[in-house]
Amino acid sequence: MIGARTRYSLVQFLGLQEPDVTRILLQKYNVPDVSLPPLQLLRALESVLLSLDEHTTMLVLSEVVASDGDLRARINPKYRFDERMADLTQCLLLDGYLVQNKKLVLTDPSIAGASPVEDDLIQALSNFWAPRKAEIIARINDSASTFRASPPDFNATLVHARVALETLAADIALNAASRQATPSPYDLTKWGEVIAFLRKCGEISLEEEKGLAGVYGFLSVGAHRSVGIPQDQMSRLGRSFALNMCWFLLKNHLERIK
């Protein structure tokens, strides 16, 4: 599914176009005639695009990608279009969609129809007691920002995602320890000891500990790999692994302390 970050990027992108161009584009896909006043264009686009259903959003995005030449011709100076299009393209890739030959290509079929884990994770973290939740959310956002930067820093993307996972696991371990009379000693700064502690106190199973260790190892290697997968897709994959593991740890812990 298309996440909130990509929808906001689409708002910024369509904000470059004349309101009538955007209005006709939306009406083409059965979006009711909406008011797009030039002086409040971004606010109006935000209201419309963030409320669109997934199917309509994909249709609009597909046309934007397919007709980027026409849309670019309407904008001067051209760098404004190029910068916004580059940002939209990278946001789409974070959601698992590659812009290729003027089409949107799903890079991971397993995510089709799935709710964007990043949106759900940040919402859950916002309501969580974790002492470092602001730092965790900041790291998740930094991970996306370095991915979308010009030029992108794919290794930094993975580093930020890994630190978010480390920090969340450590905060959960602290909370789990506070609920035990005599918790086992462990070093909060060492990933292996943190997840081993989580297993010992019943937060995760041995298989889940191995999975967390594997994801951490994947992230630690970085985006530079001598394989056929491009760096941007490798970085997106690693980031996705990290956020999914964050989501698992958080939801698992919340269920346990109900």
Side-chain angles (χ1 to χ4, degrees):
M1 290 181 68
I2 299 301
R5 182 178 289 107
T6 301
R7 289 174 182 262
Y8 278 112
S9 183
L10 181 59
V11 168
Q12 292 176 301
F13 177 84
L14 290 178
L16 297 176
Q17 299 292 325
E18 290 294 327
D20 281 349
V21 173
T22 300
R23 183 176 56 80
I24 294 299
L25 170 62
L26 294 173
Q27 286 187 301
K28 184 176 180 179
Y29 297 107
N30 300 315
V31 178
D33 192 8
V34 293
S35 174
L36 298 176
L39 295 181
Q40 293 184 311
L41 182 57
L42 289 179
R43 187 181 295 268
L45 285 170
E46 177 187 13
S47 177
V48 174
L49 295 177
L50 267 65
S51 65
L52 287 185
D53 62 80
E54 184 72 11
H55 178 65
T56 305
T57 301
M58 288 302 302
L59 290 174
V60 171
L61 283 166
S62 295
E63 171 140 350
V64 164
V65 169
S67 60
D68 64 335
D70 174 67
L71 294 174
R72 186 175 188 271
R74 299 173 183 273
I75 304 300
N76 283 301
K78 302 302 180 188
Y79 74 81
R80 297 184 64 210
F81 175 93
D82 295 339
E83 289 177 353
R84 292 266 55 93
M85 188 65 184
D87 182 72
L88 180 59
T89 298
Q90 291 299 89
C91 287
L92 283 165
L93 188 54
L94 283 173
D95 284 340
Y97 291 92
L98 177 66
V99 177
Q100 189 174 70
N101 298 324
K102 292 184 175 292
K103 294 181 180 179
L104 288 177
V105 179
L106 188 62
T107 61
D108 181 1
S110 67
I111 66 174
S115 176
V117 68
E118 181 176 353
D119 292 353
D120 293 340
L121 175 60
I122 290 179
Q123 179 62 44
L125 282 168
S126 298
N127 299 320
F128 191 38
W129 54 263
R132 294 182 290 177
K133 67 180 182 181
E135 178 183 340
I136 297 167
I137 293 172
R139 286 289 188 168
I140 292 171
N141 288 328
D142 287 344
S143 177
S145 295
T146 52
F147 189 94
R148 294 160 47 227
S150 181
D153 188 339
F154 297 125
N155 284 319
T157 294
L158 296 184
V159 169
H160 287 305
R162 189 187 71 219
V163 173
L165 177 58
E166 287 176 315
T167 307
L168 178 60
D171 275 6
I172 289 174
L174 282 173
N175 188 256
S178 71
R179 295 171 179 272
Q180 295 185 327
T182 54
S184 302
Y186 69 98
D187 188 337
L188 197 61
T189 66
K190 295 183 178 179
W191 173 251
E193 292 192 25
V194 170
I195 59 175
F197 173 78
L198 291 175
R199 172 179 52 79
K200 290 173 185 176
C201 68
E203 283 283 333
I204 58 175
S205 66
L206 176 60
E207 291 74 19
E208 290 162 350
E209 179 187 2
K210 291 178 179 177
L212 284 161
V215 168
Y216 187 86
F218 185 96
L219 294 168
S220 298
V221 173
H224 298 292
R225 295 165 182 262
S226 56
V227 294
I229 302 177
Q231 285 187 35
D232 56 356
Q233 293 186 46
M234 183 63 72
S235 181
R236 189 207 68 80
L237 180 62
R239 183 176 187 272
S240 178
F241 282 162
L243 296 189
N244 275 283
M245 281 301 183
C246 285
W247 177 245
F248 159 71
L249 282 174
L250 180 58
K251 294 297 289 185
N252 184 61
H253 183 65
L254 292 175
E255 287 296 320
R256 287 179 55 81
I257 63 176
K258 275 184 176 179

